[in-house]
Amino acid sequence: MDYSGWNVFETQFDPAELHHKETLFTLGNGYLGTRGSFEEGYPNTSAATLINGVYDDVPVMHTELVNCPDWLPLTVYIGSDRFCLSQGEILDYQRQLDLRWGIVSRDVLWRSPGGHTVKFHFERMISMADDHVLVLHCQITPVDFTGAIAVEASINGNVDNHGVKHWDWLEQGGSNNNAWLHQRCSHSKIELGMAFQLACSEATTVKLIGETGSPTLTTTFQAQPGKTVTLEKIVTVFTSLEANQPVSAAQERLASLPSYTTLLAAHGAVWDDLWQDCDIAIAGDSTAQIAVRYNLFQILAAAPRHNNRVSIPAKTLSGFAYRGHVFWDTEVFIVPFFTFTQPQIARNLLSYRYHTLEGARRKAQAAGYEGAMYAWESANTGDEVTPRWVFGPDGEPVRIWCGDIEVHINTDIAYAVWHYWQATHDDNWMQREGAEIVLDTAVFWGSRVEWNGDRQCYEIRDVIGPDENHERVDNNTFTNRMAQWHLERALAVYNWLHQHYPERAAELAQKLDIRPERTKRWSHIIRHMLVVQPTETNVIEQFEGFFDLEDIDWTDYQWRTQSMQAILGVEGTNEKQILKQPDILMLLYLLRDTPVKTEMTAQQRRQLLQANWDYYTPRTDHTYGSSLGPAIHAILACELDEPTTAYEHFMRAALVDIKDVRGNAGEGVHAASAGGIWQAVVFGFAGVRLTEAGPIVDQSHLPSNWTRLQFKLQWRQRWYKFDISPDAVIMTTQKPEVSGISSEGLNQVKPNMALSDRCTITPLRGVIFDLDGVLTDTSEYHYLAWKQLADEIGIAFNRQANEQMRGLSRRDSLLHMLGDCAVSEAELQEMMVRKNSYYEQLIQNLTPADLLPGALALLDELQAADIKVAIGSSSKNARLVCQRLGIAERLNAIADGYSVEHHKPAPDVFLYAASQLGLLPHECLVVEDAGSGVAAGLAARMWVLGLGPVERVGDAHIIRDNLAGLNWQQLLVELEQSQTLVCSES
């Protein structure tokens, strides 16, 4: 494995790591996820595509996310040899996950058993711009032979979940270069429709073949040494959960889709926007940097952005473990990340719990309690789906009690609701949904607690706390204190409703049977709940009787490669002070200020934390226990000012999937750990603390090798940007709308303010480059594409005419070229699509070598100087061009033809770029080579560097021939000189 700031590389294929890498290279968009299996297949693969919410019944485990038809298969035959890494010879290999743009690519140089050498380049994406679109792009280049190459693209509907089949075949068909499949889940009766098309850059015939459940499109072309043939497989998928006729919906969506390049650009734009808000930048530690971004990528890829009736399963949409069930992992570990970066996603995740309240009520009633009792493992209805029995390593059945008595899940959900509300002030959602969650789960606690007359207190008996190594315990401190906190917040919510939404308060009082005597009982429980207090040594007992359990000598188990529970068994571990994860430390994190109810000073809290850290940390199975613990340990170690220890725990969590540190990454992404990573950085190393006045940093605890840490978070409709180094903490604020200016607002920008109105230059913080003619010269490709179109429609066109179109959008360029020729809108659209297809074919072979002289050196210098960089281009192919040029990692934002409605000379694209950088216009320098671009930069009230002849770019503040030999400091000097001249003249 290898890493860079935004990329994870696999540089050598190892069959022993097949399943781990399938998890590692998972892609998703919140609607579905696909594991990183190979397009051509491989023996014993664990391929899976999981659609969120598509569950079907299964014995013992109740229900599971269904393995949906595999959309990846692309089989290539070199003569009679099938391309597969299990045969032939791998001469060169690299697979890459581009986290910035959400693309998996793979390059293989392969020699067939017959001795033919072929280059393969694969790219795949799961569109973030359209939930239902999946794209596979393949380039095949024969190296040393001439002959026939056959390709078969298919959908494999004959899939299962580890031997359990869920799909009934209904029908399939196709015509021309399209095919489709229609299936239905055996028990839930959810229907699925998939459609796909195969396009080949060679003019070949595509035929429909395939067996039942596996429609296949096939084509054959003649290979020529050195000649690259491009294949595109585009797939659409719908289920009956979102479309009455899923096959028709899939076919209609497929027919309406634009080109691969356009799909890629739209997909990249969404990822770009997400990273603007969610990225964490770490300087000085490349391993931590890539690990943090990888973890954030995977939970962003699993987040339901458009659906509030599903959640994020414990293994995201990346594997079969836990059957796609939802745990407390989501609310406690993942929701905070979204609350502070993408609150609309946090709201969706919490609304899932609102929509599953009926299942929670059914569970409470069945157990003999009132109110709502959330499932420990939840699926589509909210009913309990934790299996009661599983088979242990010896084949004997093991009773699983979590679904019956791990009741802290109730408060975990209420905790997430409360803190989402505090962070967002989303009163509308709170009164509509959140309050009902908090109140009905509080009703449950009122019926679950037991009064002990002898001790004059309320107890909660027979439970499991977060430390699942100890079952059926009494008065678990975490459970009792969190239930007490829950009732406190329930009373606060109920009072708030009465004050601000009296009608809703009355409605819920009747619906949930909240009478005065009930709220009075809640107050009594709060005052008299048994919460174990610290001993004389300041240690809090995890549950009654824990201190009486046997201690062990951990050095006796240094050899182990599995959890202590796997070694000692359930009963053996239950009898010893061996923790899967420490309840008390988790409590000290969640209830930072009042972990044992009493208000404490900072010094008292520090002493309490230190004592419990010293007691419970050595008794915790950090290596093979719960993956949820290490990130929380990192935060608490920071609070104890132990950054070295914190970093050790942090990296154990951060690398859990990248390096498979627990040996189980093949089962799927560790979602809770991924969410915990964000919390560890923000609340641990950065030291962010939330106050009524906003987030603050009391003291940061950066690891010794971190020279800088940057991130931002949202608190009550305002963004807070943090820039932390060992010597300083810089925090700036802005309202969210500043970073997302609407196109309507862009069009209302006033004309350029003259330099003489300023006369003192604001320090420049960003540079916005045009693309064509500035960083690279694709103008020749544009010319050839326009020339081909002009020849086809019979219009005279030459290089002089092409030069007059420099800087214009595609539509304006076509109108200029057509002159007085009258064409319909439909014909205009068809011509633009045709021209773009010619251009896309021409730019496929762009490489970093196509950067213009001086471009790469300047980009690197800007990055070193911490100057933000964006692209401001009218092109709709800008993202693809940047990718091919290898400069995507050096860019903070891309504003392209999809970003705004009005193009140059309107200032919109540059203003949009500045907004994405989080900068004001006068803090930006535009670099342009077209007169219209210079005019746009000036209209945006930005500084402008013009490249080219003065007659074309003469209105720019400074002018140069090109970027060759130009450095940033020299450019600043020239701007100062230009400004001084203007000020003196004025």
Side-chain angles (χ1 to χ4, degrees):
M1 299 298 298
D2 197 6
Y3 318 104
S4 70
W6 286 98
N7 294 283
V8 178
F9 298 97
E10 179 189 29
T11 56
Q12 184 175 347
F13 173 60
D14 183 354
E17 297 180 352
L18 180 69
H19 298 322
H20 167 216
K21 297 300 171 56
E22 286 175 337
T23 295
L24 184 68
F25 289 99
T26 293
L27 291 179
N29 62 6
Y31 173 72
L32 61 77
T34 295
R35 284 171 60 83
S37 51
F38 295 140
E39 292 83 355
E40 70 277 7
Y42 195 86
N44 300 314
T45 184
S46 183
T49 290
L50 302 170
I51 298 178
N52 210 346
V54 177
Y55 290 94
D56 197 42
D57 296 351
V58 64
V60 182
M61 302 297 178
H62 300 287
T63 189
E64 64 183 1
L65 275 182
V66 175
N67 188 12
C68 295
D70 186 2
W71 63 276
L72 289 174
L74 188 72
T75 307
V76 181
Y77 293 91
I78 311 299
S80 60
D81 293 325
R82 174 180 174 175
F83 167 59
C84 186
L85 298 187
S86 62
Q87 62 182 13
E89 184 180 0
I90 303 172
L91 304 177
D92 195 20
Y93 175 93
Q94 178 172 287
R95 181 160 46 162
Q96 172 183 341
L97 170 57
D98 186 332
L99 302 171
R100 181 71 182 272
W101 308 111
I103 297 171
V104 166
S105 59
R106 183 166 53 116
D107 291 280
V108 182
L109 182 62
W110 181 75
R111 183 172 292 138
S112 71
H116 298 322
T117 308
V118 191
K119 281 184 184 178
F120 292 92
H121 174 76
F122 296 92
E123 288 182 4
R124 76 174 67 157
M125 73 170 189
I126 295 177
S127 176
M128 291 289 279
D130 187 329
D131 287 348
H132 305 280
V133 175
L134 322 168
V135 182
L136 177 60
H137 184 82
C138 176
Q139 292 178 308
I140 304 173
T141 308
V143 175
D144 55 11
F145 71 96
T146 301
I149 294 182
V151 177
E152 294 180 356
S154 61
I155 292 175
N156 178 19
N158 299 312
V159 294
D160 57 56
N161 288 48
H162 293 319
V164 178
K165 293 187 177 295
H166 287 287
W167 292 107
D168 295 327
W169 178 86
L170 297 177
E171 54 184 340
Q172 66 189 59
S175 60
N176 298 324
N177 66 337
N178 295 271
W180 53 270
L181 174 67
H182 188 194
Q183 298 195 154
R184 181 171 56 209
C185 285
S186 300
H187 302 284
S188 65
K189 303 304 179 183
I190 297 172
E191 295 186 16
L192 175 143
M194 272 191 178
F196 74 105
Q197 66 183 26
L198 176 66
C200 181
S201 61
E202 295 289 285
T204 59
T205 301
V206 177
K207 297 180 180 179
L208 174 65
I209 60 173
E211 301 175 352
T212 299
S214 184
T216 302
L217 297 171
T218 182
T219 190
T220 303
F221 58 87
Q222 288 298 308
Q224 301 292 332
K227 182 180 180 181
T228 298
V229 175
T230 301
L231 300 164
E232 291 177 2
K233 178 183 180 184
I234 301 179
V235 183
T236 54
V237 55
F238 283 83
T239 75
S240 54
L241 295 178
E242 63 272 356
N244 291 331
Q245 301 293 328
V247 171
S248 297
Q251 290 173 318
E252 291 170 6
R253 182 63 54 86
L254 185 65
S256 68
L257 293 178
S259 66
Y260 168 72
T261 307
T262 303
L263 292 171
L264 182 62
H267 163 78
V270 177
W271 272 116
D272 193 40
D273 287 343
L274 287 171
W275 286 122
Q276 290 294 323
D277 295 340
C278 301
D279 187 30
I280 289 175
I282 299 170
D285 189 344
S286 59
T287 302
Q289 176 66 92
I290 194 67
V292 167
R293 283 177 173 158
Y294 178 82
N295 282 281
L296 298 185
F297 173 85
Q298 287 297 353
I299 50 178
L300 285 167
R305 292 173 301 127
H306 307 124
N307 190 348
N308 65 8
R309 293 182 178 272
V310 296
S311 186
I312 298 179
K315 291 295 182 182
T316 68
L317 302 173
S318 64
F320 296 114
Y322 300 120
R323 311 285 172 162
H325 297 169
V326 179
F327 294 71
W328 75 312
D329 304 34
T330 306
E331 283 73 28
V332 173
F333 294 88
I334 300 173
V335 165
F337 163 65
F338 289 115
T339 294
F340 294 108
T341 62
Q342 300 288 303
Q344 73 282 2
I345 295 178
R347 185 172 60 244
N348 281 349
L349 294 171
L350 296 174
S351 288
Y352 161 79
R353 293 298 192 178
Y354 173 76
H355 293 303
T356 54
L357 263 173
E358 288 303 322
R361 287 165 180 149
R362 286 191 290 269
K363 179 181 176 181
Q365 185 178 22
Y369 302 115
E370 297 178 297
M373 178 184 182
Y374 274 107
W376 177 244
E377 297 185 31
S378 179
N380 52 341
T381 66
D383 291 282
E384 184 62 71
V385 292
T386 304
R388 289 204 163 192
W389 296 91
V390 298
F391 291 102
D394 56 0
E396 293 297 315
V398 177
R399 179 67 161 90
I400 304 299
W401 289 101
C402 299
D404 299 272
I405 58 175
E406 194 157 358
V407 289
H408 67 83
I409 180 71
N410 250 30
T411 294
D412 304 331
I413 293 169
Y415 181 91
V417 168
W418 173 268
H419 285 280
Y420 166 79
W421 182 38
Q422 296 303 298
T424 63
H425 276 180
D426 188 352
D427 291 353
N428 185 46
W429 180 86
M430 188 64 183
Q431 63 89 15
R432 191 179 68 250
E433 298 182 8
E436 188 168 349
I437 294 173
V438 173
L439 293 173
D440 212 17
T441 47
V443 171
F444 163 79
W445 284 122
S447 66
R448 180 62 172 83
V449 299
E450 302 172 45
W451 176 253
N452 186 323
D454 294 335
R455 302 172 75 176
Q456 289 294 294
C457 65
Y458 289 97
E459 300 178 321
I460 305 177
R461 296 182 171 276
D462 194 18
V463 299
I464 300 174
D467 170 31
E468 295 172 343
N469 278 357
H470 297 92
E471 301 177 338
R472 312 203 71 173
V473 303
D474 295 337
N475 294 315
N476 171 260
T477 303
F478 179 95
T479 303
N480 285 27
R481 174 64 186 112
M482 291 296 287
Q484 184 185 49
W485 174 92
H486 187 163
L487 291 172
E488 292 168 350
R489 295 309 179 271
L491 289 174
V493 168
Y494 195 53
N495 290 335
W496 171 79
L497 277 178
H498 273 289
Q499 292 175 21
H500 299 281
Y501 299 92
E503 292 183 1
R504 179 61 172 158
E507 178 186 348
L508 288 179
Q510 181 176 7
K511 180 178 181 179
L512 308 181
D513 192 23
I514 303 178
R515 307 176 307 278
E517 51 268 34
R518 188 185 293 280
T519 56
K520 184 178 180 180
R521 175 175 165 79
W522 289 356
S523 296
H524 194 260
I525 294 170
I526 291 168
R527 292 194 302 273
H528 298 284
M529 174 72 79
L530 174 61
V531 177
V532 177
Q533 296 299 301
T535 63
E536 292 181 357
T537 59
N538 239 351
V539 178
I540 305 170
E541 191 172 24
Q542 179 168 294
F543 57 83
E544 287 191 311
F546 180 82
F547 289 156
D548 297 330
L549 300 180
E550 178 187 351
D551 242 334
I552 68 165
D553 184 350
W554 287 82
T555 60
D556 294 341
Y557 299 93
Q558 291 179 344
W559 50 267
R560 68 194 177 96
T561 58
Q562 53 187 336
S563 72
M564 292 299 296
Q565 191 178 71
I567 295 170
L568 301 177
V570 173
E571 290 302 321
T573 311
N574 207 41
E575 296 168 356
K576 297 176 175 60
Q577 292 190 29
I578 300 172
L579 307 181
K580 183 177 181 180
Q581 57 183 320
D583 291 8
I584 299 301
L585 295 185
M586 191 69 193
L587 179 65
L588 291 172
Y589 171 59
L590 293 182
L591 300 186
R592 296 166 180 79
D593 299 323
T594 56
V596 288
K597 186 70 173 72
T598 307
E599 294 285 348
M600 295 185 298
T601 65
Q603 182 179 2
Q604 289 172 330
R605 174 182 160 70
R606 169 70 180 262
Q607 292 170 345
L608 182 68
L609 176 57
Q610 187 71 65
N612 285 277
W613 173 273
D614 292 343
Y615 188 87
Y616 286 108
T617 299
R619 292 167 169 78
T620 301
D621 185 356
H622 299 289
T623 309
Y624 297 105
S626 173
S627 64
L628 281 60
I632 305 304
H633 275 79
I635 300 171
L636 297 177
C638 285
E639 190 167 331
L640 294 172
D641 201 22
E642 297 181 16
T644 302
T645 301
Y647 186 77
E648 178 185 347
H649 286 292
F650 172 76
M651 292 306 287
R652 183 179 287 122
L655 298 175
V656 67
D657 290 318
I658 288 183
K659 289 196 172 181
D660 194 13
V661 297
R662 292 175 179 269
N664 62 353
E667 297 177 350
V669 169
H670 291 77
S673 181
I677 287 298
W678 184 88
Q679 296 185 55
V681 172
V682 173
F683 300 130
F685 295 128
V688 169
R689 186 164 62 86
L690 301 170
T691 73
E692 281 300 311
I696 62 172
V697 172
D698 279 337
Q699 181 183 357
S700 61
H701 309 273
L702 297 188
S704 60
N705 55 335
W706 288 19
T707 58
R708 194 173 188 185
L709 172 63
Q710 295 172 293
F711 59 90
K712 67 179 185 178
L713 57 84
Q714 189 179 144
W715 172 260
R716 297 179 180 175
Q717 290 80 54
R718 182 175 289 273
W719 282 108
Y720 292 78
K721 292 187 176 183
F722 294 86
D723 189 341
I724 302 173
S725 64
D727 302 321
V729 175
I730 301 173
M731 184 183 75
T732 57
T733 69
Q734 63 182 102
K735 291 184 178 180
E737 57 265 27
V738 173
S739 63
I741 303 173
S742 67
S743 59
E744 291 80 3
L746 292 172
N747 296 329
Q748 297 170 7
V749 174
K750 296 179 180 179
N752 180 49
M753 178 171 60
L755 282 175
S756 57
D757 293 333
R758 291 184 277 192
C759 285
T760 54
I761 188 170
T762 300
L764 289 174
R765 299 172 59 198
V767 179
I768 305 172
F769 290 94
D770 184 30
L771 193 55
D772 293 343
V774 174
L775 296 179
T776 189
D777 190 2
T778 60
S779 58
E780 179 66 13
Y781 297 145
H782 280 295
Y783 167 70
L784 293 174
W786 284 123
K787 176 66 173 170
Q788 184 173 348
L789 177 65
D791 290 345
E792 290 171 353
I793 61 180
I795 290 180
F797 188 76
N798 55 29
R799 294 185 184 278
Q800 183 178 0
N802 184 69
E803 184 67 17
Q804 295 172 358
M805 291 156 45
R806 182 186 288 265
L808 297 181
S809 67
R810 189 184 308 163
R811 183 184 184 88
D812 291 341
S813 294
L814 179 56
L815 291 172
H816 180 85
M817 188 178 77
L818 290 172
D820 295 331
C821 294
V823 297
S824 67
E825 179 62 28
E827 290 173 317
L828 203 66
Q829 293 292 334
E830 187 277 329
M831 289 179 193
M832 286 192 290
V833 170
R834 204 187 327 164
K835 181 269 174 182
N836 195 53
S837 67
Y838 301 150
Y839 176 73
E840 288 175 3
Q841 293 175 20
L842 291 166
I843 64 173
Q844 288 296 332
N845 295 319
L846 275 175
T847 70
D850 292 297
L851 283 166
L852 289 173
L856 186 60
L858 181 57
L859 287 171
D860 286 343
E861 188 181 2
L862 293 172
Q863 191 173 39
D866 197 31
I867 300 298
K868 295 183 178 181
V869 177
I871 296 296
S873 171
S874 298
S875 171
K876 292 187 175 181
N877 298 295
R879 294 176 188 277
L880 178 62
V881 171
C882 291
Q883 236 190 347
R884 294 285 187 256
L885 292 173
I887 62 172
E889 288 186 13
R890 294 171 170 84
L891 304 175
N892 301 103
I894 292 180
D896 58 14
Y898 294 100
S899 302
V900 295
E901 182 179 354
H902 299 282
H903 300 284
K904 305 170 189 177
D908 300 33
V909 72
F910 293 137
L911 289 167
Y912 181 83
S915 74
Q916 293 303 296
L917 295 178
L919 301 179
L920 296 171
H922 63 269
E923 296 176 308
C924 299
L925 169 72
V926 166
V927 185
E928 261 287 356
D929 73 318
S932 60
V934 171
L938 294 174
R941 293 183 290 173
M942 297 179 181
W943 301 86
V944 181
L945 165 61
L947 302 181
V950 67
E951 57 269 21
R952 192 173 73 216
V953 296
D955 291 335
H957 297 127
I958 55 176
I959 301 170
R960 289 181 61 93
D961 291 335
N962 50 54
L963 296 177
L966 180 65
N967 64 66
W968 179 238
Q969 292 303 318
Q970 174 189 356
L971 191 55
L972 290 177
V973 170
E974 291 187 24
L975 279 172
E976 290 284 359
Q977 291 173 346
S978 169
Q979 176 193 13
T980 301
L981 177 62
V982 172
C983 287
S984 62
E985 291 176 348
S986 64

